[in-house]
Amino acid sequence: MELTGALLRFSVPRAFVVVAPGYTDVRLGVECELRKRGWAQSLTPADADMLVICGDGGERFAESVDRVWEQTPAPRTSLRIVEFDTIARSFDAARAALCDVSTLRVDAIERRMVSGRVARGSDMGDSKHADSHANAHSHNMDADMDIDMDADMDMSMDLPGGIAMADRGPDRDGLKLDQLHVSLGPMLPDWPTGLVLRLVLQGDIVQSAELEIVVGRRDSSFWLEAEANTEDASQIRAAAAADSLQRFLGVAGWKSAAATGRWLRDELLAPGADVLAKPRFVRWIRRVRRSRVLRWSMNGLGLVGQDTPDQLHGDVSARYLRWAEEIASVLSAPVVAGQPVAVPWGLQRAERARAALTLLPTMLVGQEFTAARLIVASFDPDLEALHSHAVPDSHD
């Protein structure tokens, strides 16, 4: 036990972070604290030993948290953070819990007992709840693709042993192929908070898409409140652009650039920070803007016409480059505070979120699965801003 405790004390925690709607401030604080401590942020719960729950959600959110916790291997610990000021203390307590060998052994024993009961119920065919979790686990995708661990399948029949079988449907060539029903969100890394996307796939092609919005217990928008409480609104807007851009870069697989983007975002949000004095960030934004590989790989993907908010026009490349331009405008020269805008920034973000939710179900049909993920990341709809502003539907 002493050797086990020593190994645990020297190990680097790996955190899987889930976020309830309305708690963006906690997410940003958690990501910043992880970076400062040198702790890793995992892409899947299977690669984590710490589940960090940002905020308190409703029943739908709680169900997803339970599924993620079941997929987190031992040794493990979980912590829920609902207030920004408690992040550091909560991390200290979680680190201590990961070194408490006795408690970890009790958790492992309890988990084996629960798994045994679930397995027996599944064998007897009397536990549909167990089957649903088995399906969710068996259809996990590769972590490098950043696919949600909550993915599951709607099945028309079950095979012996609780193994499910996919439906079949005609593909574009008139052949019969399996139809896989996959849910993305609400706990997918670098995913819009509160969004659930249900896809029907044949092979890796999206046949249909439906959206669901998960409502949280807190009705607030971090970015809008931050802009309202600062003298330099442009710097807050650049921080929001950096947050969206780093999430997009993470989905695109450029992990080092995403990490630098998170660091820049945190610097932009820090009181009195002088990002102009840090040439690393200027070099970073230059690399992102000039990357031919990134632009070429996104060229023509997710094309949007002129009858939508300006920030959504063009393809995926055009959208991520707009974030880069907004950041560059702050990095290149000081911004005069208090510059007037024709439309309030909060309303702009809400209108873009509304338009994105309207466009996505149709736009994703016919796209490859990985392309669909990139398109969503290029929109990054701010559902918190949408909830904070009453943006009417187009037919109202």
Side-chain angles (χ1 to χ4, degrees), residues 227-259:
E227 188 215 24
N229 296 321
T230 184
E231 295 181 357
D232 194 349
S234 296
Q235 190 157 314
I236 295 298
R237 296 173 189 176
D243 186 48
S244 293
L245 181 55
Q246 66 88 13
R247 283 146 70 100
F248 172 80
L249 294 173
V251 174
W254 198 354
K255 303 301 181 184
S256 61

Side-chain angles (χ1 to χ4, degrees), residues 248 252 291-301 315-317 320 371 374:
F248 172 80
S291 175
R292 295 181 180 179
V293 173
L294 183 62
R295 187 179 302 186
W296 170 81
S297 61
M298 308 297 163
N299 186 38
L301 183 64
D315 58 7
V316 167
S317 293
Y320 83 72
L374 289 164

Side-chain angles (χ1 to χ4, degrees), residues 152-350:
D152 59 355
M153 297 171 61
D154 295 331
M155 303 302 171
S156 59
M157 61 179 297
D158 289 335
L159 296 176
I163 301 175
M165 186 174 184
D167 295 333
R168 286 180 175 268
D171 75 343
R172 291 175 295 185
D173 299 322
L175 303 175
K176 286 284 187 178
L177 295 179
D178 288 343
Q179 288 186 329
L180 182 64
H181 295 244
V182 178
S183 294
L184 299 181
M187 297 185 178
L188 178 62
D190 299 323
W191 183 258
T193 304
L195 179 65
V196 177
L197 182 62
R198 293 192 178 88
L199 303 178
V200 177
L201 303 176
Q202 283 188 309
D204 62 347
I205 303 300
V206 177
Q207 301 296 313
S208 67
E210 295 181 355
L211 297 179
E212 176 191 350
I213 305 302
V214 177
V215 179
R217 298 188 185 277
R218 182 201 270 183
D219 186 15
S220 64
S221 173
F222 167 78
W223 295 113
L224 306 192
E225 293 174 0
E227 188 215 24
N229 296 321
T230 184
E231 295 181 357
D232 194 349
S234 296
Q235 190 157 314
I236 295 298
R237 296 173 189 176
D243 186 48
S244 293
L245 181 55
Q246 66 88 13
R247 283 146 70 100
F248 172 80
L249 294 173
V251 174
W254 198 354
K255 303 301 181 184
S256 61
T260 304
R262 285 193 294 274
W263 187 5
L264 171 59
R265 174 204 65 197
D266 297 340
E267 289 292 311
L268 287 166
L269 290 173
D274 185 9
V275 295
L276 299 177
K278 299 189 173 176
R280 174 179 181 176
F281 297 141
V282 177
R283 292 194 301 269
W284 170 77
I285 199 64
R286 186 183 299 122
R287 282 185 65 202
V288 173
R289 294 165 73 186
R290 295 181 178 180
S291 175
R292 295 181 180 179
V293 173
L294 183 62
R295 187 179 302 186
W296 170 81
S297 61
M298 308 297 163
N299 186 38
L301 183 64
L303 190 62
V304 174
Q306 299 294 317
D307 56 343
T308 57
D310 292 344
Q311 290 293 318
L312 300 185
H313 291 173
D315 58 7
V316 167
S317 293
R319 289 190 284 276
Y320 83 72
L321 285 173
R322 286 194 190 96
W323 289 325
E325 293 297 332
E326 188 165 3
I327 300 167
S329 67
V330 172
L331 294 179
S332 59
V335 179
V336 179
Q339 291 179 322
V341 293
V343 180
W345 185 57
L347 184 57
Q348 292 179 25
R349 289 181 69 86

Side-chain angles (χ1 to χ4, degrees), residues 81-164:
I81 305 174
V82 297
E83 297 294 339
F84 183 90
D85 295 338
T86 66
I87 292 175
R89 294 197 304 271
S90 298
F91 273 21
D92 290 340
R95 186 71 177 99
L98 278 179
C99 298
D100 187 344
V101 178
S102 299
T103 301
L104 293 174
R105 289 187 185 279
V106 170
D107 174 69
I109 293 172
E110 292 178 349
R111 184 175 187 178
R112 284 196 297 269
M113 293 174 62
V114 171
S115 298
R117 288 196 297 268
V118 170
R120 288 193 297 272
S122 178
D123 291 341
M124 295 173 63
D126 61 356
S127 178
K128 293 185 178 180
H129 181 70
D131 285 347
S132 67
H133 287 308
N135 291 338
H137 182 73
S138 64
H139 296 104
N140 290 347
M141 302 295 182
D142 192 292
D144 292 340
M145 295 175 62
D146 288 341
I147 303 305
D148 187 18
M149 69 298 307
D150 288 341
D152 59 355
M153 297 171 61
D154 295 331
M155 303 302 171
S156 59
M157 61 179 297
D158 289 335
L159 296 176
I163 301 175

